[in-house]
């Protein structure tokens, strides 16, 4: 049980640590040298490009999980079935 | 002097990215043009097998070039990133989607999903080098203002930038086709050898024509650069042209030895020709040059030291990567495992004499650059 939780917990700890450093440093982007306001782009369209990036990475993240799960199903069945996937069970067996 | 050394490091990483990563993009282009899934299956398999082991390693050089650019010449980097924000953003999006499409395509089952992911991979292989080219075009045409505060559409949608965008796409296709001729010949595949020979010749002629068109277009948009390309950088321009012609001649004669090295040499000579012609200016049309757009002296020294370490560490790693692929493929017989082993082969194999030729070629390009600068300093 503890082992199963420790995987996601490691990711949560990493993300939280990141938020602490980024938020804690404000208003500096480089401490005592450059403020975040001064470092920000003068270009428009920040919201638009950020939205596209969020959507693209949400799709890629979902696709990664779906594909990893389908790979793991195929690996479990590998005794009966042979699949031509790179780094797949057939290679590992030979 | 140290700023010039860092400039040379930047050009060297761009050269590595163009000759290795560029061929990856070109592979995607030939995948795009290979036709339906029945007709295009055989060439797609060769493309896939040659890109798979090396594509991630090859794109290391893009990261390296960007890091050197922003660390060493922050003022010029900020100007380029601001004025050409849109094409850079689209190129980065293309890099992300391309990698995802390529990796996912192998893992999914079902033709529809594979087709969709293949299309993502192939289309972003077309768009990414095009947008990268327009950014370089914007710099070469002098359309990036030194104190850019907003993105400028006209900076990269002018004739020079668009032309260089198309030139990039064509050069990537050319490099990939030539590398794939070598790979098909090495496998003894006569059909694919002929298939990619025709494509290498066509794209070679198109790339040559586009290079000349770009040179004359520069006469309109940046006459200083044109004069220097036909002046002090002329030896490199000639090396590029002669290597290109030699590749087409070798292809017509059906010879593959040294082919890949010559094709890479042609592209390398164009990049160094551009660098030599522009020296010491970073952004034509502005006052930004190597010595005043730079980071403090200590930072530049650190970059040179870092690059030496990188060359010592990454160089042998790449040699090992390519030679491992070479020996794996060489041992593969007609056993069932041969297909798997064959797919581990890269574009470049250490057993090829091409490696020696490319080393000699790059040293020769370096020698010409050195000679040009010594002559300049003597005056």
């Amino acid at each position: 049980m503890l082992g199963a939780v420790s995987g996601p917990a490691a990711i949560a700890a990493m993300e939280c640590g990141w938020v602490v450093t980024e938020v804690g440093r404000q208003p500096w982007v480089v401490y005592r040298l450059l403020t975040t306001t001064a470092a920000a782009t003068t270009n428009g369209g920040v919201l638009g490009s950020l939205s596209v990036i969020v959507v693209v990475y949400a799709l890629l993240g979902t696709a990664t999980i779906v594909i990893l799960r389908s790979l793991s199903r195929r690996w479990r069945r590998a005794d009966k079935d042979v699949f031509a996937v790179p780094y797949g069970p057939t290679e590992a067996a030979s | 002097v140290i700023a010039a050394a860092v400039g040379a490091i930047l050009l060297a990483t761009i050269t590595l990215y163009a000759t290795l990563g560029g061929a990856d993009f070109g592979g995607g282009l030939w995948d795009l043009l290979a036709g339906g899934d029945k007709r295009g299956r055989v060439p797609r398999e060769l493309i896939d097998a040659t890109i798979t082991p090396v594509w991630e390693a090859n794109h290391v050089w893009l990261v390296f070039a960007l890091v050197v650019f922003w660390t060493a010449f922050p003022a010029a980097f900020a100007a380029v990133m601001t004025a050409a924000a849109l094409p850079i953003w689209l190129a980065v999006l293309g890099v992300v989607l391309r990698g995802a499409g390529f990796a996912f395509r192998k893992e999914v089952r079902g033709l529809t999903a594979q087709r969709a992911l293949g299309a993502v991979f192939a289309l972003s292989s077309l768009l990414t080098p095009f947008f990268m080219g327009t950014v370089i075009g914007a710099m070469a045409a002098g359309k990036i203002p030194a104190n850019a505060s907003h993105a400028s559409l006209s900076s990269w949608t002018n004739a020079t930038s668009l032309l260089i965008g198309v030139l990039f796409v064509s050069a990537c296709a050319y490099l990939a086709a030539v590398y794939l001729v070598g790979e098909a010949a090495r496998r003894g595949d006569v059909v694919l050898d002929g298939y990619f020979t025709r494509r290498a010749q066509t794209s070679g002629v198109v790339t040559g024509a586009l290079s000349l068109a770009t040179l004359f277009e520069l006469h309109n948009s940046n006459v200083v650069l044109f004069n220097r390309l036909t002046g002090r950088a002329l030896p490199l321009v000639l090396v590029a042209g002669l290597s290109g012609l030699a590749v087409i001649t070798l292809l017509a004669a059906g010879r593959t030895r040294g082919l890949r090295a010559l094709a890479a040499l042609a592209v390398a000579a164009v990049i160094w020709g551009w660098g030599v012609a522009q020296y010491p200016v970073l952004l034509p049309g502005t006052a930004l040059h190597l010595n005043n757009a730079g980071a403090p002296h200590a930072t530049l020294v650190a970059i040179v030291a870092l690059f030496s370490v990188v060359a010592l560490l990454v160089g042998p790693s790449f040699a090992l990567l390519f030679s491992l692929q070479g020996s794996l493929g060489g041992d593969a017989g007609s056993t069932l495992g041969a297909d798997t082993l064959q797919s581990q082969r890269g574009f470049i194999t250490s057993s090829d004499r091409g490696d020696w030729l490319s080393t000699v070629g790059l040293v020769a390009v370096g020698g010409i650059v050195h000679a040009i600068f010594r002559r300049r300093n003597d005056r």
Side-chain angles (χ1 to χ4, degrees), chain B residues 70 86 220 269 330 368:
Chain B
W70 88 53
L86 188 57
N220 298 324
I368 293 172

Side-chain angles (χ1 to χ4, degrees), chain A residues 18-78:
Chain A
W18 193 44
V19 170
V20 168
T21 59
E22 293 302 312
V23 176
R25 202 188 327 104
Q26 297 308 318
W28 302 100
V29 70
V30 181
Y31 191 55
R32 285 184 180 164
L33 284 175
L34 186 66
T35 61
T36 309
T37 328
T41 182
T42 42
N43 267 333
V46 172
L47 197 64
S49 62
L50 179 66
S51 311
V52 176
I53 289 169
V54 168
V55 170
V56 166
Y57 274 87
L59 286 174
L60 290 179
T62 316
T64 307
I65 292 168
V66 168
I67 287 170
L68 281 178
R69 288 190 62 82
S70 94
L71 270 179
S72 100
R73 271 199 304 279
R74 268 185 267 147
W75 275 64
R76 257 178 271 153
R77 286 201 310 250

Side-chain angles (χ1 to χ4, degrees), chain B residues 334-351:
Chain B
S334 57
T335 53
L336 196 67
D339 277 353
T340 322
L341 289 169
Q342 288 282 344
S343 72
Q344 307 290 321
R345 302 274 315 212
F347 272 137
I348 298 168
T349 49
S350 69
S351 52

Side-chain angles (χ1 to χ4, degrees), chain B residues 324-338:
Chain B
L324 272 178
Q325 288 153 5
S327 59
L328 272 176
D331 293 343
S334 57
T335 53
L336 196 67

Side-chain angles (χ1 to χ4, degrees), chain B residues 299-316:
Chain B
T299 311
L300 296 179
V301 173
I303 291 175
V304 174
L306 183 77
F307 185 76
S308 317
V309 174
V310 166
L312 281 176
L313 290 178
V314 178

Side-chain angles (χ1 to χ4, degrees), chain B residues 82-109:
Chain B
T82 308
L86 188 57
I88 289 167
W89 193 84
L90 288 169
V92 171
L93 185 71
V95 168
V96 170
L97 290 178
R98 185 178 177 278
F102 185 70
F104 288 172
R105 180 168 69 167
K106 297 175 196 306
E107 312 296 351
V108 296
R109 301 291 110 189

